[in-house]
């Protein structure tokens, strides 16, 4: 199986894109909703939680992990790769590659939560690829609670997006990376506020493309992945709001198991 | 010692009021910031986390616990009282008593997070006291992230407060309970938006008064509480934002231990 991990429900946008680009592949999604959000927590704590969750996935016959959580990728990727032997894909690297490949001015903006901004993963990777690039970061901690509240089309959300984007806009970026899978749900508002001439890089889509290519190049691994089209969703905590969000993001495109029996993880 | 528990930093407003009304008493504050917020999590999960945290406090020579987290009180109070023998004070009961004692029309509004609203603790307790009362609830999940973002005086916060209060305003309430310790930080905005004729009941102040009276009536227990004026703050996760919030809410009124050595709790 392909395992997909996120701190909460935002990674469902990544799962949705993966299931569209890799139809038929069995996938297990784990959302650590009991301890979400990660984006305002310390690097140590996020790293510890991420290791625990990836370990849970690997106990379930998962042969390849997609980290749909940018915060987790930003602070724990190296530790994960030195701890586990399965291939681990994150959403940061493919987004950075896409951004530097297409940006003309190399003035690149990144929207992310505070911990992802503070850990510096985006500037580090962008400058590794293109040392002459200029990177501008916007910490946007309210966007996750706003989308989880369902206020995607609310005028107040548009005003908050505008406020967050203002410092990037005045820097005349030509590329904007959405550094959190939740932001995919706000991409049309973000496009409007940042302007049509700025290219938006959606990490969710980038990681799917990379994974598809990787599996074509690694048929031995590909053969070990089961393909009965089964998508399982597991959350460490389940509420009516989460069920509604799952339905909003995924349905009716994905067959879902009953959410009543998905809390199968042992307590931490 | 007096133990004070909250899911995060909001309960610091309760701690501040306690230390003003009970000067000299030693207090240990525990904020479960690694797993906060609780307000959007299921009752089962909040209840489990709360029991774990109260147990941690009791291992530290705590003789009396103040639950500064309304969510925890709403879903776990009965279980706590049947599990532990120390007196446990919550912020819900004193707020309800103050509301029903002063409300003329008995049209009472409550602002709280979603889990507190859903668990029904406020209407249950208000109607137990005064069956003829009318209770109107507003779930306000964005107010905690807004205050934690430091947007207390931001015009967008005022607009969001107005939007949340609108359904209570049209019901012509005469009393409004702030059902989350974070909301204390927004009380002047809330007073402006709901109107001056509505009496605001701040749970933080209510629990301190009740505790002070209880200790006067129970001198034997009072004697077991140490009074060297020491306030200790322990968080399960620590970030610069939390340190800033502690300083904003408490300083310079309280002497604080260095925050570098406060992560002394064993991992969950």
């Amino acid at each position: 199986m392909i395992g997909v991990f996120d701190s909460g429900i935002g990674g469902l946008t990544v799962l949705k894109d993966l299931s569209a680009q890799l139809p038929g592949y069995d996938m297990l999604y784990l959302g650590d909703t009991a301890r979400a959000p990660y984006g305002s927590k310390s690097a140590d704590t996020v790293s510890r939680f991420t290791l625990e969750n990836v370990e849970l996935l690997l106990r379930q016959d998962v042969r390849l992990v997609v980290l749909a959580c940018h915060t987790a990728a930003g602070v724990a990727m190296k530790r994960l790769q030195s701890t586990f032997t399965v291939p681990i894909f994150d959403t940061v690297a493919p987004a950075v590659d896409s951004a530097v490949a297409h940006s003309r001015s190399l003035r690149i903006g990144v929207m992310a939560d505070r911990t992802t901004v503070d850990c510096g993963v985006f500037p580090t990777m962008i400058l590794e690829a293109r040392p002459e690039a200029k990177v501008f970061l916007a910490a946007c901690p309210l966007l996750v609670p706003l989308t989880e509240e369902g206020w995607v089309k609310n005028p107040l959300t548009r005003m908050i997006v505008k406020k967050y984007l203002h410092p990037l806009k005045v820097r005349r970026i030509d590329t904007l990376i959405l550094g959190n899978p939740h932001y995919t749900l706000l991409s049309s508002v973000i496009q409007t506020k940042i302007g049509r001439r700025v290219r938006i890089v959606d990490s969710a889509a980038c990681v799917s493309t990379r994974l598809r290519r990787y599996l074509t190049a690694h048929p031995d691994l590909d053969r070990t992945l089961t393909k009965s089209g089964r998508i399982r969703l597991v959350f460490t905590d389940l509420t009516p709001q989460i069920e509604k969000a799952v339905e909003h993001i995924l349905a009716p495109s994905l067959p879902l198991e009953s959410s009543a029996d998905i809390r199968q993880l042992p307590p931490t």
Side-chain angles (χ1 to χ4, degrees), chain A:
Chain A
M1 264 188 304
I2 295 174
V4 181
F5 167 63
D6 183 42
S7 57
I9 56 170
L12 292 170
T13 59
V14 176
L15 179 73
K16 188 180 181 177
D17 202 79
L18 281 170
S19 70
Q21 291 208 41
L22 294 165
Y25 284 72
D26 294 341
M27 297 184 196
L28 169 59
Y29 180 94
L30 172 58
D32 191 6
T33 41
R35 303 188 291 193
Y38 284 7
S40 52
K41 285 160 193 170
S42 72
D44 279 357
T45 294
V46 172
S47 188
R48 177 163 61 88
F49 287 175
T50 304
L51 258 85
E52 287 172 12
N53 282 296
V54 170
E55 216 172 291
L56 280 175
L57 279 175
L58 295 180
R59 274 192 234 146
Q60 308 282 328
D61 195 34
V62 158
R63 305 292 171 92
L64 182 156
V65 173
V66 176
L67 268 193
C69 178
H70 295 70
T71 326
V75 302
M77 197 59 185
K78 278 179 192 156
R79 226 177 120 194
L80 287 172
Q81 284 171 330
S82 67
T83 309
F84 304 111
T85 53
V86 300
I88 299 177
F89 290 79
D90 73 323
T91 43
V92 175
V96 166
D97 291 350
S98 170
V100 297
H102 294 93
S103 174
R104 288 187 182 187
S105 67
L106 284 178
R107 300 178 71 82
I108 299 171
V110 182
M111 305 171 77
D113 54 60
R114 197 171 300 285
T115 301
T116 307
V117 164
D118 290 349
C119 78
V121 63
F122 277 105
T124 304
M125 292 186 72
I126 292 170
L127 295 172
E128 258 171 36
R130 296 294 293 271
E132 72 276 33
K134 298 278 178 211
V135 185
F136 305 100
L137 300 165
C140 310
L142 287 168
L143 299 190
V144 170
L146 281 166
T147 55
E148 295 198 337
E149 173 75 335
W151 286 21
V152 170
K153 293 186 176 169
N154 190 295
L156 288 163
T157 303
R158 287 202 293 273
M159 292 166 79
I160 290 171
V161 168
K162 188 179 173 186
K163 183 175 158 73
Y164 279 143
L165 286 178
H166 178 73
L168 302 183
K169 198 161 179 170
V170 297
R171 300 303 193 121
R172 291 170 293 109
I173 58 169
D174 77 347
T175 303
L176 175 60
I177 297 176
L178 306 188
N180 184 304
H182 275 90
Y183 302 167
T184 305
L185 301 170
L186 296 168
S187 58
S188 72
V189 181
I190 291 168
Q191 184 77 74
T192 308
K193 295 297 175 195
I194 195 69
R196 301 216 167 173
R197 292 161 69 180
V198 174
R199 178 172 172 267
I200 287 184
V201 177
D202 187 345
S203 322
C206 297
V207 69
S208 301
T209 308
R210 172 162 301 197
L211 185 53
R212 198 161 37 82
R213 286 190 197 137
Y214 182 87
L215 291 177
T216 310
H218 296 80
D220 288 354
L221 174 66
D222 190 44
R223 262 190 296 274
T224 70
L225 299 173
T226 54
K227 300 174 189 70
S228 65
R230 188 157 171 254
I231 310 272
R232 255 184 87 205
L233 302 177
V234 181
F235 294 97
T236 56
D237 185 39
L238 197 57
T239 63
Q241 275 68 39
I242 292 172
E243 291 178 46
K244 220 159 69 183
V246 171
E247 208 182 296
H248 173 68
I249 299 174
L250 297 181
S253 59
L254 283 182
L256 297 183
E257 284 179 83
S258 149
S259 52
D261 49 42
I262 64 177
R263 274 183 292 181
Q264 291 168 353
L265 293 184
T268 53

